[in-house]
Amino acid sequence: MPEKEHFGARVSSSHTRSIGITHRTTPLACSWTGDMRVRFSDFQVNEIKKDGAVLHLRTIGLGNEIKARIPEQSQTPKGENSDTPQNEKSQPEQTIEIPQEDVTVLENLATAQFAQDLIKLFNHGNGPSSNDPNTATSPVLDDKSKRGQLHQEVRRIFRSRLETTTGHDGVIVANYVSPRKGGKKSRGRRGQPGDDEPMGEYLHFTLYKDNRDTMDAVSQIARLLRIKPQVIGYAGTKDRRASTTQRCSVRYQRKRALAGLNGKLWGISTGDYDYQDEPIHLGQLLGNEFVITLKNCKMANETSTQPPSERLSSMRDNVESALKHMSSHGWINYFGHQRFGTHDVGTHEVGKLILGDNYEAAVNALLKYDPEIAAKAEAGEIPEEPSKRDEVLRHQACMLFQTGKDYDRAAKIMPRRFAAESCIVRHLTRMGKNSARDFAGAITHITRGLRSMYLHAYQSHVWNHAASQRYALHGSKVIKGDLIISDGEAQPVVAEKDQDGDEIINPVEDEEDAPLRARPLTEEEAASGKYTIYDVVLPSPGYDVIYPDNEIGKFYEEFMGREENGSLDPHKMRRLRREFSLPGRYRKIMQKFLAEPSVEFRLYEDETEQMHPTDLDLIKNVRVNGGEGKRKRDDDDGMAVKKSKADEVLPERVTEEAKNEQQSLDDGAGESIKAEQAAQPTKVAVVVKFQLASSAYATVTLRELMGDGSDEDQQPSANGNAEG
């Protein structure tokens, strides 16, 4: 079970204010707290498609995995229908030996591992084992002549049953080609169900995951499919400590290949397959629906002597009033805590160093470690639990590298899930002394997505502080120089999205002719009443945005120019390295729900009780919130079910002592136990359901709803309350 997070007033800290989150716009009678993610299924996220429909997982796999495992061919009863001809069912798996001299040729042209992968792939087409791969992928091969020779040798050795292609990065991918059937060549394993199924270019599927982040789930799926993670598309990343549902796409894969992964990956299920002509891209969603259960909820002014029903009633009045105000008036559209990371050095701090061309400091920040944890790891004190083990190994690897104790071992033990650290250590140890101080190269070797995350975090840090300054000075009043999105022809034709769904302004080479996406309001327009605070936007720093034509524009210059913020100039955001140049983007100051929110209040006693079913629960028909079969905790398979009293079976033979004990319970000796079981629940849970745009943060929404323990909880800013 994941560790619970204390939310509400208890998260008010210097860190919250350090990232610019300082104001609330919602009146609240009293701030309150709650424990979030007591179970990871207490935090549920479902994508909202472009048409406004909420995405749910409807079926797992091809539809029959829910009821039972798909039987092996050898276990299929005689006479049952099957897509596989009877004469092929009885054929045993064939393994064809490849001469050693041919194996040596393949090893000399590529690697021994790739040679073995090709042999396994070849035999994969001659037998029914579902554990065999669908493709074989070589390492990067820079020698073009060797690649050409390898293509020829693969065709010769495997009698044209393996088809090879070269990617733009020098990687060769091999696929098995089935023999012709009826004059038509088909891909796939011979005699398997679905061979005759038409295959589109992109297979879209619904990904459900428990306690896994999106990139980790995608990497695990790609590993088993033997493809690169980059060929799996998704509209946005989802929380790790949550139960989430999202739509993904993968190129050149069959439904049965993906369905075969169900049950092989912990916490991951796929289904609802559909072929489409286009892949899924980042930002290709309207938003997300959240169902969040907060347990052990308490108001700041409640006392221990208040009865549970009274506490629940007070909580209901307080929360419903605040939620109604938020639904009507919205709240400040801050970037949430997760934008800035959870390590000692925030992601925005790394971004600041990169933008300041201080690459060595950026590398040191990313490789920062705890000496005490590293020392314990060196002494052999390494946890067994995978996630904790990886954390400890990261500290150990960073220590080995930073102290120069053992570069090779540092690169070897660094867990791959720490992608940035892995890229840096591998690059700086790749060519010995020649690359040991190539800090700029090390940063550029980090994957594009991670690099962008650091830079976007710095932009978000500046935006949060600018939004707070804007609200502190003017509240909901529209003023001269405020920016609004331009109309009609001033809009750029194309806008990209980042990993959080925010629009990114495309670079334009000729800045004088650049189509502006926003313009400042004149004094007359600001006073006209035509525009409200919901029309006003603020820019993230970039070379292709403009800044407010008022004191807020000056604030960008003053804030970014501070030494602690990088001594940067918001008007000079181009860099010699193009990948570090930021075009900028616009973001509305205020955020609103996409649909009417709802909230439920419950009394409970068991902290592990699940209050709302996940998509997986609904498919597997698991009951929650009381009753038999209630999910009680998040186990490894995510589907641990507690038996009710009626389901328990007593042994046929029991000792006389056990009989007497049972009789004593019936006679009233167990009254104290029965009284405890019948006791009225005393804890309060709040289950809130709301829909947010793709660029909004659920944690910011909860802070607005729950307060942070400040005076602002009782009364919004004196300059206005965002009523528009």
Side-chain angles (χ1 to χ4, degrees):
M1 184 192 305
E3 293 181 4
K4 61 189 175 186
E5 300 175 22
H6 302 300
F7 215 80
R10 275 176 281 184
V11 299
S12 179
S13 65
S14 58
H15 175 61
T16 299
R17 297 189 176 274
S18 73
I19 59 177
I21 302 176
T22 59
H23 287 77
R24 295 179 60 259
T25 67
T26 304
L28 192 64
C30 182
S31 63
W32 56 285
T33 61
D35 294 336
M36 188 169 68
R37 305 188 219 236
V38 176
R39 307 159 52 96
F40 54 75
S41 52
D42 286 343
F43 197 101
Q44 299 179 25
V45 188
N46 289 70
E47 264 182 6
I48 304 174
K49 297 182 287 187
K50 283 289 189 180
D51 62 3
V54 178
L55 177 72
H56 288 279
L57 181 68
R58 303 298 182 186
T59 60
I60 296 179
L62 298 176
N64 50 359
E65 287 89 341
I66 296 299
K67 298 177 182 178
R69 290 182 177 274
I70 300 175
E72 298 290 340
Q73 287 186 355
S74 60
Q75 297 173 331
T76 304
K78 291 182 180 180
E80 286 196 6
N81 293 331
S82 172
D83 293 330
T84 306
Q86 288 295 327
N87 62 338
E88 290 192 11
K89 285 184 187 177
S90 60
Q91 289 182 356
E93 182 171 347
Q94 304 172 32
T95 301
I96 300 175
E97 294 294 332
I98 303 299
Q100 183 56 46
E101 55 266 28
D102 286 339
V103 176
T104 303
V105 169
L106 295 173
E107 291 176 345
N108 291 336
L109 291 173
T111 63
Q113 182 62 52
F114 184 54
Q116 293 302 316
D117 289 346
L118 289 170
I119 295 169
K120 188 174 183 180
L121 178 64
F122 178 60
N123 282 307
H124 154 79
N126 296 278
S129 173
S130 62
N131 293 322
D132 287 333
N134 298 309
T135 61
T137 306
S138 78
V140 175
L141 302 175
D142 296 322
D143 191 327
K144 186 175 180 181
S145 62
K146 275 192 173 184
R147 290 203 304 264
Q149 188 177 352
L150 183 59
H151 286 301
Q152 295 176 7
E153 293 295 345
V154 169
R155 282 197 295 271
R156 175 187 66 80
I157 295 170
F158 299 106
R159 291 165 282 180
S160 297
R161 294 287 181 84
L162 296 187
E163 182 177 87
T164 54
T165 56
T166 303
H168 62 85
D169 52 0
V171 171
I172 291 180
V173 178
N175 294 276
Y176 183 80
V177 180
S178 296
R180 293 179 181 271
K181 294 181 182 180
K184 182 179 179 180
K185 183 171 72 174
S186 62
R187 293 184 185 273
R189 297 217 318 260
R190 184 176 55 191
Q192 291 295 305
D195 275 348
D196 296 329
E197 173 197 24
M199 183 174 72
E201 184 170 359
Y202 294 97
L203 175 62
H204 287 209
F205 63 96
T206 298
L207 169 66
Y208 172 91
K209 58 183 184 62
D210 278 325
N211 205 22
R212 304 287 290 270
D213 67 52
T214 300
M215 287 183 283
D216 179 33
V218 163
S219 296
Q220 295 301 317
I221 291 172
R223 178 178 59 82
L224 289 188
L225 291 178
R226 300 185 68 82
I227 59 176
K228 290 187 174 183
Q230 292 89 331
V231 304
I232 300 179
Y234 46 88
T237 57
K238 299 289 181 286
D239 293 73
R240 177 178 71 86
R241 289 178 58 184
S243 297
T244 71
T245 303
Q246 64 189 115
R247 198 70 174 160
C248 302
S249 66
V250 60
R251 197 175 190 184
Y252 297 142
Q253 292 292 326
R254 290 194 182 277
K255 296 178 181 179
R256 56 183 167 77
L258 201 55
L261 304 186
N262 288 311
K264 297 180 181 179
L265 292 172
W266 171 83
I268 298 174
S269 299
T270 66
D272 305 333
Y273 310 117
D274 181 34
Y275 288 115
Q276 299 288 339
D277 294 331
E278 299 293 332
I280 292 176
H281 299 291
L282 284 172
Q284 206 169 20
L285 75 167
L286 185 64
N288 296 287
E289 181 177 84
F290 297 85
V291 180
I292 300 174
T293 299
L294 296 151
K295 294 177 177 174
N296 196 27
C297 297
K298 297 178 180 178
M299 291 175 58
N301 63 355
E302 75 176 46
T303 64
S304 58
T305 59
Q306 286 181 284
S309 58
E310 183 179 320
R311 289 191 287 109
L312 185 141
S313 179
S314 298
M315 181 71 72
R316 176 182 286 110
D317 293 341
N318 188 31
V319 175
E320 286 182 345
S321 174
L323 196 62
K324 183 178 180 181
H325 189 280
M326 290 175 63
S327 184
S328 300
H329 306 303
W331 60 96
I332 300 176
N333 194 20
Y334 287 124
F335 290 93
H337 287 79
Q338 58 267 49
R339 186 75 159 184
F340 308 99
T342 57
H343 293 289
D344 291 339
V345 180
T347 51
H348 63 292
E349 296 285 345
V350 177
K352 175 188 70 178
L353 295 170
I354 293 174
L355 290 171
D357 298 329
N358 195 346
Y359 303 118
E360 181 176 2
V363 166
N364 289 333
L366 288 168
L367 297 183
K368 187 175 180 180
Y369 65 94
D370 186 314
E372 185 177 345
I373 296 176
K376 288 182 178 180
E378 279 288 276
E381 297 181 33
I382 300 177
E384 291 295 328
E385 185 180 333
S387 61
K388 292 182 179 179
R389 177 184 177 88
D390 284 351
E391 286 282 352
V392 169
L393 288 176
R394 177 201 170 276
H395 286 280
Q396 184 184 12
C398 289
M399 181 275 292
L400 292 173
F401 180 84
Q402 291 287 67
T403 60
K405 188 174 181 179
D406 193 331
Y407 290 147
D408 291 337
R409 190 154 68 98
K412 184 177 180 180
I413 69 173
M414 178 68 75
R416 289 302 178 113
R417 77 181 182 92
F418 294 102
E421 293 92 328
S422 294
C423 289
I424 289 172
V425 170
R426 287 202 305 272
H427 177 77
L428 294 180
T429 57
R430 183 175 298 166
M431 300 174 63
K433 293 182 179 180
N434 294 330
S435 64
R437 295 194 58 79
D438 182 19
F439 300 112
I443 294 294
T444 57
H445 270 75
I446 298 174
T447 59
R448 179 184 175 186
L450 272 178
R451 288 202 315 267
S452 298
M453 182 181 71
Y454 302 132
L455 303 180
H456 292 161
Y458 178 79
Q459 290 178 304
S460 303
H461 181 249
V462 175
W463 192 97
N464 275 2
H465 283 275
S468 288
Q469 180 74 358
R470 167 65 177 75
Y471 192 82
L473 292 178
H474 305 291
S476 61
K477 182 181 178 182
V478 177
I479 63 169
K480 176 186 178 298
D482 276 342
L483 298 180
I484 61 165
I485 299 296
S486 303
D487 298 325
E489 68 277 2
Q491 296 279 358
V493 177
V494 179
E496 295 179 357
K497 300 267 189 172
D498 73 359
Q499 66 266 28
D500 290 310
D502 291 332
E503 287 191 356
I504 302 174
I505 309 306
N506 287 332
V508 180
E509 295 300 326
D510 186 357
E511 293 208 23
E512 291 186 359
D513 297 330
L516 298 178
R517 286 186 53 85
R519 66 175 181 84
L521 292 176
T522 65
E523 189 168 357
E524 292 74 16
E525 287 176 322
S528 69
K530 179 181 178 181
Y531 301 98
T532 70
I533 190 64
Y534 307 108
D535 299 311
V536 178
V537 299
L538 285 175
S540 290
Y543 61 77
D544 204 30
V545 296
I546 64 171
Y547 297 90
D549 187 18
N550 49 38
E551 65 266 55
I552 303 305
K554 298 296 183 183
F555 174 81
Y556 279 87
E557 299 173 2
E558 186 273 328
F559 181 80
M560 293 176 61
R562 298 175 193 170
E563 183 178 354
E564 65 266 26
N565 295 325
S567 301
L568 299 172
D569 185 342
H571 302 287
K572 297 179 180 179
M573 298 304 291
R574 289 190 184 274
R575 295 292 178 272
L576 292 176
R577 292 180 177 271
R578 183 179 175 87
E579 60 267 34
F580 299 149
S581 293
L582 296 175
R585 61 194 129 177
Y586 297 101
R587 180 179 177 90
K588 288 193 173 184
I589 290 180
M590 301 298 293
Q591 182 64 252
K592 279 189 171 184
F593 294 120
L594 295 180
E596 196 68 24
S598 64
V599 61
E600 295 180 50
F601 305 86
R602 297 176 187 166
L603 291 175
Y604 75 100
E605 198 60 38
D606 186 353
E607 288 287 356
T608 65
E609 181 178 339
Q610 183 169 331
M611 304 291 182
H612 191 277
T614 66
D615 283 0
L616 200 61
D617 291 334
L618 295 173
I619 289 176
K620 296 190 174 183
N621 198 27
V622 175
R623 296 176 61 186
V624 299
N625 192 31
E628 297 178 8
K630 179 172 63 177
R631 281 183 66 175
K632 297 300 292 182
R633 66 183 186 276
D634 295 310
D635 284 322
D636 283 353
D637 62 359
M639 290 305 301
V641 178
K642 180 181 178 181
K643 292 183 178 180
S644 69
K645 289 288 184 182
D647 293 329
E648 295 177 358
V649 180
L650 294 175
E652 292 183 3
R653 295 182 180 179
V654 294
T655 64
E656 193 67 28
E657 181 182 355
K659 287 182 180 179
N660 292 335
E661 182 180 353
Q662 183 62 45
Q663 185 62 44
S664 67
L665 285 173
D666 294 338
D667 291 341
E671 284 303 321
S672 60
I673 298 176
K674 292 180 181 179
E676 182 180 347
Q677 292 173 342
Q680 177 72 19
T682 59
K683 299 177 182 178
V684 176
V686 177
V687 183
V688 61
K689 181 178 182 179
F690 52 81
Q691 295 184 4
L692 299 177
S694 57
S695 60
Y697 285 79
T699 51
V700 172
T701 307
L702 290 176
R703 173 186 175 272
E704 186 73 19
L705 178 63
M706 303 171 74
D708 58 9
S710 69
D711 291 337
E712 293 175 5
D713 295 341
Q714 285 70 44
Q715 182 62 45
S717 168
N719 291 303
N721 61 5
E723 291 186 3

